[in-house]
Amino acid sequence: MAAVRESRRRSRPTVARGSTRPTSRDVAQAAGVSQAAVSLVLGDKWRGRVAEATAERVREAARDLGYRPNLAARNLRLGRTRTVLLVVPALTTEFFAGVYTGAARVAAEHGFGVVLYPSPEGIGPARDPFASAQAALDGVIASSMAADALTAIRGEALPLVMLDSDPTGSLGAATVNLDIADGVRQAAEHLLSLGHRRFLHLAADVPSWTFDVRARELAARLSEVAGTSIRTARSPISIKGAVAAAEAGLSAPGVRPTAVICDDDQLAAGTYKAARRLGLRIPDDLSVTGVDDLALATAMDPELTTVRLNAELFGERGMGALLAVLEGRAPEEGDIPVQLVLRGSTAGPS
């Protein structure tokens, strides 16, 4: 065997003089096969059409020559750009950065690139960032946005995968969601088990399906327990906005809530500041929970009890769903599980 390998090294195929890079014709000549066979093997479509030994000979010739497929030419033949647009409403937290990281990782494994596009209009109608997105892209992934906000980008032609979106009647070819309803239930169950009955819901003032789900699930779970009450204060997703909203919610007439359930970790951070202004201690006087498990959650004192959302897995599943759509396969089904992470911001009511 060693002698065979040595013989092959000595007779290693070469590229014709003057060529700038090896071609499939060079590979075919070195392997003693047709160019069609080379195309089948290197396109991973050889099974049942080319003998395994022949396929290995083609791969070895390609390795010896340093051959790389001409992706630009292949994409032109297939009418593909191998580029995907990931549209997000903002880059105000690392959550969407995590979504991008996960999507880009899966895309790279399949020879695709991902362009990250924070929409200038937030969750509103997104502008086309290209002269013609339909000519520049193979598909669109949109996180936490309504499908009809993407009309200018995708028209009626580009495949669309929606993340964090209502799966009922979705205009997307596929929808991938985190099990956010279960996350809200976990947070509510935890606070109820500690003995809390008076709640403030610090709700994100954003017209989005995911925040509608949080409000609905929270109200439904608390209504099942006798003696509970809930008031709602709305805030933009910012610490500054949350300070004012939480302070107003905690100071409203009536008996003060003993627990605040926040739609987002930034809202929880604002609640911490509001509590200090009101002379309330966390968790002695007030328990607080968030959603996301951002780096911010462990920078607070005490550290925040929050629902962990796996942003990178979210992006991976989204890109996987788009690849399935492009290849005519059924995307993976089922919501992505979430987990309540218990830290120091929750305790029984005093």
Side-chain angles (χ1 to χ4, degrees):
M1 183 62 72
V4 171
R5 285 197 296 268
E6 179 62 26
S7 174
R8 285 179 177 173
R9 277 195 291 269
R10 289 175 180 171
S11 60
R12 179 173 175 168
T14 59
V15 181
R17 182 173 296 176
S19 297
T20 57
R21 58 182 291 175
T23 67
S24 60
R25 180 178 298 177
D26 295 322
V27 176
Q29 184 177 5
V33 299
S34 68
Q35 282 185 260
V38 171
S39 179
L40 288 171
V41 172
L42 299 183
D44 200 26
K45 297 178 181 178
W46 61 272
R47 291 171 183 81
R49 305 169 76 177
V50 176
E52 188 169 349
T54 301
E56 177 55 32
R57 196 164 70 248
V58 169
R59 287 191 291 265
E60 184 174 352
R63 285 194 299 268
D64 288 344
L65 286 168
Y67 171 75
R68 295 291 182 273
N70 187 332
L71 291 179
R74 183 180 70 177
N75 293 343
L76 187 61
R77 284 198 310 275
L78 297 176
R80 291 272 181 89
T81 66
R82 303 190 80 78
T83 302
V84 172
L85 190 69
L86 172 60
V87 187
V88 299
L91 287 179
T92 54
T93 73
E94 72 260 29
F95 178 79
F96 292 119
V99 174
Y100 170 79
T101 298
R105 180 162 51 238
V106 172
E109 292 171 357
H110 292 82
F112 278 73
V114 177
V115 177
L116 179 62
Y117 178 46
S119 171
E121 307 303 325
I123 64 169
R127 308 170 199 166
D128 187 343
F130 305 96
S132 173
Q134 295 179 51
L137 303 169
D138 282 340
V140 178
I141 303 172
S143 182
S144 308
M145 299 182 69
D148 56 9
L150 303 161
T151 302
I153 294 176
R154 64 179 292 265
E156 299 298 325
L158 285 175
L160 170 65
V161 169
M162 302 297 298
L163 308 183
D164 213 14
S165 177
D166 187 352
T168 306
S170 172
L171 298 177
T175 304
V176 178
N177 283 321
L178 297 150
D179 196 351
I180 196 64
D182 183 56
V184 171
R185 287 192 292 268
Q186 289 182 47
E189 290 285 355
H190 170 61
L191 292 168
L192 288 168
S193 71
L194 292 173
H196 292 281
R197 295 296 181 268
R198 301 191 305 276
F199 296 87
L200 171 65
H201 177 205
L202 192 56
D205 192 14
V206 178
S208 171
W209 172 83
T210 185
F211 295 120
D212 291 343
V213 168
R214 298 173 206 209
R216 185 170 61 246
E217 289 297 326
L218 179 59
R221 180 63 191 97
L222 296 184
S223 69
E224 297 172 356
V225 179
T228 60
S229 63
I230 181 171
R231 65 178 65 161
T232 300
R234 298 190 175 278
S235 169
I237 302 180
S238 70
I239 295 175
K240 181 179 179 180
V243 173
E247 190 168 355
L250 292 170
S251 304
V255 182
R256 178 180 56 77
T258 61
V260 184
I261 296 181
C262 302
D263 275 353
D264 175 272
D265 288 353
Q266 291 187 82
L267 301 186
T271 300
Y272 273 47
K273 295 186 73 172
R276 283 196 295 272
R277 289 184 181 182
L278 296 171
L280 302 175
R281 297 166 298 165
I282 298 173
D284 300 353
D285 304 312
L286 190 70
S287 287
V288 182
T289 65
V291 175
D292 275 347
D293 197 23
L294 306 175
L296 177 66
T298 53
M300 298 187 217
D301 185 19
E303 294 186 356
L304 180 66
T305 292
T306 187
V307 178
R308 177 176 293 160
L309 309 182
N310 191 331
E312 291 193 19
L313 178 58
F314 201 22
E316 289 176 2
R317 282 278 300 275
M319 187 65 211
L322 183 57
L323 289 171
V325 170
L326 291 172
E327 295 168 6
R329 297 183 287 105
E332 183 178 350
E333 295 184 351
D335 291 346
I336 299 171
V338 301
Q339 177 187 5
L340 180 68
V341 180
L342 300 180
R343 297 194 179 101
S345 66
T346 52
S350 54

